[in-house]
Amino acid sequence: MKLSKLLCILALGYSLTNCQTNTKKDIQSRTIEQSRPQKETQVTPVLIPLDTLVAFANWTIVDSLLLIESSGTDNSFYLINLDNFHTIKSFGKKGNGPNEFIMPHLVRQAPKITVWDNALHSLYQLSPETGVINQQIQLATNETFWQPSYFDSAHLCFVKNSPNELKWVLYNPGTKETTDSIVFTDETQKGNAIQYEFTYSVNPTQLVIALNQQNEFSFYHIRQHLLHPQFTVKGETKKGQMYYTDVFTHAQQIYLLNQENINMETFEGESYIDIYTLEGECTQRLHVGRVVESMLLDEKHERILLFSPNNEDAIYSLPLSSI
């Protein structure tokens, strides 16, 4: 089994020492002790072969098409038909020439194909028909941004890291200003902020941040582009264990991809999907039956797409009706 980027960070030690937000909050955040249903629900995702080996790094859905970011092929991106999973085209070669990228990352949830390049410090919009760049926005920064995600027509979200802190940022490219942020700080100042990894899901009214190596996630309301913490769910954390590697919200519920039953020495075991209400109550625990690294909601086809590092030439489909 090839170790994925997310699972490889498990070799690092993790200690979250401090978290703070930039704005004043008018709602007191609650801490909820984690509890789960006694009965787990066994689900059986359907294997879907792909006609191209894409070397999965990230994915999103753009205009009813699946866009996969590749980490180890000639092209950076693959556009796939969600009806039959045939590859429509690949594009985004590495280089300095026209329509080429140096350190590209797809922007999740964007209404058009949007790419952020950490080396060129620019946002690009690409044509889905040709893969050619239609628009470029260069940002006045030399910083690197990770996990870019679309928020609304004027804002993007990024994760920024420096030696002693990891920061989630709501950013306005037009004004080049940070609207709000959440900061995880290494109070020991030993330069270990890169270990404070988290995954997140965001829309114009909600944010969920789930920690990779702490059994903990937090839910925020967003009003007028400002964060208002609602609650944090905490469970027992075991040193060296992976917890949440992906998250999304759907139908007033929070879906968290949980790895706490994966053996971190052998990378064997089975992943779970924990489903919570927006009040922090866990209502379902789905036993997926395999190691799953990432999940993606496909609302049009009413299913969850799953990527397993055990099958790099395929993905899995889990119908919402089976949950």
Side-chain angles (χ1 to χ4, degrees), residues 17 19 26 42-44 80 100 151 170-171 183 197 209 240 247 258-259 269-270 274 289 297-298 318:
T17 56
C19 172
D26 57 6
Q42 180 74 47
V43 293
T44 306
I80 295 173
E100 293 180 341
F151 182 81
L170 180 57
Y171 184 79
V183 183
E197 296 284 348
I209 286 185
V247 59
N258 192 314
Q259 313 291 358
E270 297 173 341
D274 296 335
L297 176 64
D298 179 5
L318 178 62

Side-chain angles (χ1 to χ4, degrees), residues 9 45 50 134 141 185 208 211 233 238 242 263-264:
I9 69 173
L50 299 177
N134 289 334
T141 178
T185 303
V208 182
L211 305 185
V233 174
K238 298 179 181 179
M242 173 67 89
N263 185 310
M264 293 298 102

Side-chain angles (χ1 to χ4, degrees), residues 92-124:
K93 291 185 179 298
K94 299 289 181 67
N96 291 307
N99 299 298
E100 293 180 341
F101 304 97
I102 300 175
M103 295 177 64
H105 300 275
L106 64 81
V107 178
R108 297 186 72 168
Q109 302 180 178
K112 298 180 180 180
I113 297 176
T114 306
V115 174
W116 163 254
D117 194 310
N118 261 327
L120 301 174
H121 305 291
S122 294
L123 280 167
Y124 301 90

Side-chain angles (χ1 to χ4, degrees), residues 53-82:
L53 181 64
V54 297
F56 177 92
N58 201 353
W59 55 358
T60 192
I61 293 176
V62 180
D63 195 23
S64 299
L65 298 173
L66 178 62
L67 177 63
I68 296 181
E69 176 185 332
S70 173
S71 62
T73 60
D74 291 338
N75 288 301
S76 299
F77 304 101
Y78 291 80
L79 201 59
I80 295 173
N81 188 317
L82 277 170

Side-chain angles (χ1 to χ4, degrees), residues 5 66 100 175 261:
K5 176 179 67 176
L66 178 62
E100 293 180 341
T175 63
N261 288 309

